[in-house]
Amino acid sequence: MLKLTVTYDIHTDVVPWILKSGLTPAECDDGSGRAVDVKAQTVNIESDGTIIYTWKGCRGNTCIGAYDPHTRKNKLLYSFDEEAQVVSCSVNMKWTLLAPRCLTLLIEIHPIHDIRVLKAVDCIVSVQFLYPVGKATLFPESHLLLISEDRYIDQIHISVVIQEGYRVLIKNTRLPTDRIIEDVTWAQWDMKEQRLYCAVTKGRKSVLNCFQFYPDRNFELVLEVPLQFSLDNDEPRLVNFGFNPYQSDVGASSTLNFSVLSSEIDCAVINAEPRRKTGSMFLCYSHLPPTDNEVSYTIAFVLQGVSKTFTVSVEETEILTEKVIFINLGYYIAVYLPGHFLHLINTRHPKLLCHHLLLSGADASMPSLNTNGYLQSLPYSSILDYSSGKMFEVCINQLYLVKFLQTSTLDCHWLAALHCALIYFKDQTETEAQVVSWICDNIGKCSRFDVIQEFIWASLYRRMCPESINLDKLLPYTSLMKWEGEVPGVTCVTEIAEQSVFRALHLKGFWAELHSNLQSFMYLDAEPCCRYYNNSKLLRKQWKQLIEEMKTEERTSSSLRTILQNAEKVLLTLDKWVSDQRIVPLFQEEKDYQQNILMGVMVENMKDHLMRHLQHMGKKKTEELVINYVAKLLELIRNIMETVWRKYNVKNWKFCFKERGSSSEYAVFHIMCHILQATSGMCVPLPPGFQTLHATLGVRCLPLHTLLCYIDHGILRLTETFIKKLLIDFNNSEKNGQLKLSIITRLPEAASQNICHLWDHPISSSLIARNYVEALLQKLGSKQMYPHNSPSYETDSSVFYSDFLPLNYLTKTLTDVKNLAMNPFEEKEYIDAKFVEEIALKQTSILLQLES
């Protein structure tokens, strides 16, 4: 699973130069170009990549050389006249001073001149020159670390003078020394970032002290991390201080294997961009030998404040002489036990066991390594094999991972490999296409998770995390809240770790990032539900309410206008599709108000969620981030469709209904159904034109009764573009008429009125006539029958209603006339009774002919 690339080989990069330079007697060359008696040994690697090595000549002399990986050139640094056991060696940045551990000497080598003894006591001592980060060394001064088995670490300051323009000589007769720390039981050197990690015992436990060295002669204790175990060894255990054959052979099987990994490269967010600082730290340790055929190791996540102890079952073989190796791969920590297993630990999302990938057998094999020798894990994804003299750059093999995804049968392996493939690699175009192809072949086979949902969340997470490291805890990366069941071969126990303490007052660089991330994680861990997930029930309810409001209200509310404006911003952000490069015939210009409302609602809800936790980002930047997120979501679904279209080789496809769909079109339709199901479960919008294309494929691929069932169950949605094309393309044969009528009757009334004129058929003509008569009668009634103060028939529940519109109008008119006749003086407030009496008497007299 891991790909090892040789970046240095002592047999090809060093030994030929030794033979060619005549630094070894001629009898050591057998004429074949191969080294016969030249036994070169790598001793140390400096911060700038310089590799220090030694070799012994046939006459017993011991030489020390340096290899520059940038220029690929070698240089002889010093030669002892007799055999000497060099177990630790370091050269300063200018290659003017050499500190080998024979009697712990300090040698002037530019040119070779004076030799000083730093420590004459016969004890194990390691030496390391500092290579200040960020600025050029303050030449003419160098600084040397001296680590003694007496459990102390000193920093020696060495001032030099330049004579005759090139001779570099040590200036001070007595070298100033600073005591960095005492009572050290374990120490590790980070040559890249010039950091020193030391463990000291306090009570029953140990504390890890983290020192940072600066370009000047200053250093400071930055961080203290309480450890959950004791490192009280008989002698200090040293990591990354070069190769010491004596230490590697002493008690290896009974000593705690411990190392510190600091992650400053996030492989998940590299996309043709400079490497980005993330500020993460992990403490890795394991005990040997295993018990009951099990190996246990612990990864302490300093940022998350938790430690996870993994226990892996192994076969009963001779493994006591082997130790677990921890390799920093950026997004992952590779835990490797040679010959048994390889465990890829997800460092950004360690919560669920299913996001870690455990491999065994051939999948975990690394044949390039000499597992019987001494292996040193270097910073930034490298391994140095001292026994073979090779250094390897380590990364996850992209082709092998995709193949593993395709051949695996377990859901947990599928999930872990899927996330690894989508997040770890730099170039995602080809990888995403391969994963989508695998999804098409295995759709519906995953029983414990929705593979399309996992693909969408993981891909969006990789695309958006470069925006802000704080999004790591806020954006969704999986659809799973927990994992039901076990992961075969491994168990995990999670414990809360003690809080780390920063001792430095002014932090910068990596430590500032680490402190900032630690504060963010502490705050977000205290907040319930800090990670954004679409609350499907709540969001769906809000979505439906806004759709009904848009249908019924003549004037949109301010909230609905804001939602639609959000959707418009998302659509404007989408990349314009070039027509000659577009394969899938999606209608980007299509106006789907339902999907637009869902876009706007998602933008509004996500913006409110992020503003609660990222107030320092500001409203404008947060809104831009969220709009970009939703736009990338739509583009991702579009890319899925493009890959599916290519996979099934759907060529020369035209948007029409006259032809029946092919088997390839049916396969595409089937995948689109699963995409629709996944997005519906996530409650996220679809790109413009998706549902029109889906319905079109449904008509081409499904029989009528199945098509109508899909429509009735909401799988297919009838868009206006689809209906118009359907009515125009199909003739009025009996079969097509039945299809059109079935479609028309399933449309909302408002939609059917808008498109029925496109169908030249008696049914549509009747509907048009009915609507026309209703409009005329309503217009006539409003002009002639009703004064401005007459009661409206809509408010009278006693009005008879019939499907025949003219009868409705007649009934309404008679009812209104009846109401007016029964109340001739309804609106008069005062009546003159005397006047009425006189009029009545007058009319009576006339009728009785009492008046002439």
Side-chain angles (χ1 to χ4, degrees), residues 172-269:
N172 40 356
T173 56
R174 185 172 182 179
L175 302 178
T177 303
D178 295 332
R179 179 62 51 90
I180 296 176
I181 192 171
E182 296 180 338
D183 300 325
V184 176
T185 59
W186 174 94
Q188 176 179 320
W189 176 243
D190 185 340
M191 73 278 288
K192 287 289 185 181
E193 301 299 332
Q194 301 292 281
R195 302 187 195 115
L196 177 65
Y197 304 104
C198 302
V200 295
T201 302
K202 293 185 178 181
R204 296 183 178 180
K205 295 185 178 181
S206 297
V207 176
L208 181 69
N209 294 322
C210 306
F211 294 90
Q212 179 69 60
F213 292 87
Y214 297 106
D216 55 15
R217 61 192 300 169
N218 295 325
F219 66 91
E220 64 177 340
L221 173 62
V222 181
L223 180 68
E224 288 185 353
V225 183
L227 302 179
Q228 297 174 305
F229 51 88
S230 176
L231 280 169
D232 191 8
N233 304 315
D234 295 334
E235 62 182 47
R237 298 293 298 175
L238 304 182
V239 179
N240 291 348
F241 280 97
F243 177 60
N244 187 340
Y246 299 104
Q247 177 176 301
S248 62
D249 294 334
V250 177
S253 62
S254 60
T255 305
L256 184 85
N257 178 25
F258 176 55
S259 62
V260 179
L261 303 181
S262 60
S263 177
E264 292 190 280
I265 302 176
D266 186 0
C267 295
V269 300

Side-chain angles (χ1 to χ4, degrees), residues 760-803:
D760 185 13
H761 193 272
I763 294 178
S764 60
S765 301
S766 174
L767 181 60
I768 294 172
R770 179 176 174 176
N771 295 336
Y772 181 70
V773 170
E774 180 183 14
L776 286 180
L777 293 176
Q778 289 176 353
K779 183 178 180 181
L780 178 63
S782 62
K783 286 184 177 181
Q784 298 181 0
M785 298 301 300
Y786 304 106
H788 70 279
N789 56 359
S790 64
S792 176
Y793 81 100
E794 285 83 1
T795 60
D796 190 353
S797 60
S798 65
V799 175
F800 173 78
Y801 179 77
S802 172
D803 288 336

Side-chain angles (χ1 to χ4, degrees), residues 532-630:
Y532 176 81
Y533 284 103
N534 277 1
N535 189 331
S536 298
K537 293 183 178 179
L538 182 62
L539 192 145
R540 202 180 302 275
K541 180 180 179 181
Q542 185 180 0
W543 179 32
K544 298 298 183 183
Q545 288 176 348
L546 291 172
I547 291 176
E548 291 300 322
E549 178 184 340
M550 191 169 185
K551 288 180 179 179
T552 57
E553 299 293 336
E554 294 183 0
R555 298 181 60 184
T556 58
S557 62
S558 59
S559 60
L560 180 56
R561 285 196 300 271
T562 302
I563 296 298
L564 295 176
Q565 289 173 1
N566 291 338
E568 190 67 25
K569 294 176 182 177
V570 172
L571 295 176
L572 290 175
T573 306
L574 285 174
D575 293 334
K576 298 299 181 181
W577 302 348
V578 181
S579 58
D580 57 348
Q581 296 180 355
R582 183 177 61 185
I583 297 179
V584 181
L586 294 178
F587 300 91
Q588 187 177 356
E589 300 79 11
E590 184 178 70
K591 301 296 182 182
D592 190 337
Y593 71 91
Q594 290 192 9
Q595 291 298 313
N596 289 355
I597 291 176
L598 183 56
M599 289 180 208
V601 171
M602 184 175 178
V603 169
E604 199 67 20
N605 289 357
M606 193 173 187
K607 182 171 61 176
D608 293 343
H609 178 83
L610 295 183
M611 281 297 297
R612 287 196 297 268
H613 303 292
L614 300 177
Q615 297 180 5
H616 63 278
M617 290 184 62
K619 183 177 180 180
K620 182 178 180 180
K621 187 174 180 180
T622 303
E623 182 179 359
E624 292 176 355
L625 189 149
V626 172
I627 290 175
N628 191 30
Y629 184 88
V630 180

Side-chain angles (χ1 to χ4, degrees), residues 44 81 94-95 110 151 159 167 183 200 218 238 243 445 459 465 493 510 529 578 588 627 718 736 741 796 829 832:
N44 195 13
D81 294 334
K94 299 296 182 178
W95 287 19
H110 191 77
R151 299 194 175 191
S159 297
R167 298 174 61 88
D183 300 325
V200 295
N218 295 325
L238 304 182
F243 177 60
K445 293 184 180 180
S459 298
C465 274
V493 177
F510 167 82
C529 303
V578 181
Q588 187 177 356
I627 290 175
L718 304 176
N736 293 340
L741 179 61
D796 190 353
E829 297 182 1
D832 190 343

